[in-house]
Amino acid sequence: DSRDWSGTSVSDMRHTILTELHPGAVILFHMHGAHTRDLLPGLIDDIRARNYTLTPPSEQWEPPKVLTP
């Protein structure tokens, strides 16, 4: 959790996210985070600089299988 909902500063959010970043990590953001918009451009650059690829959740998991009788 980026804790963006709590008014956490950009530098604190960046530090928390990058410290906990690992393959397969999911970073949770909220619609009304006070500083999220300011954080994202630099954070995306930082993540890519560490050779990670950003993907939406829909590309990380297989869709549920529907069983038919």
Side-chain angles (χ1 to χ4, degrees), residues 21-25 47-56 59-60:
L21 189 63
H22 62 274
I47 291 170
R48 288 181 174 155
R50 293 175 181 217
N51 295 316
Y52 286 97
T53 302
L54 301 169
T55 58
E59 292 181 20
Q60 291 190 5

Side-chain angles (χ1 to χ4, degrees), residues 2-21:
S2 64
R3 298 193 47 84
D4 58 342
W5 54 269
S6 69
T8 304
S9 71
V10 168
S11 61
D12 285 348
M13 284 192 290
R14 177 179 280 131
H15 174 75
T16 299
I17 291 166
L18 294 176
T19 299
E20 297 180 12
L21 189 63

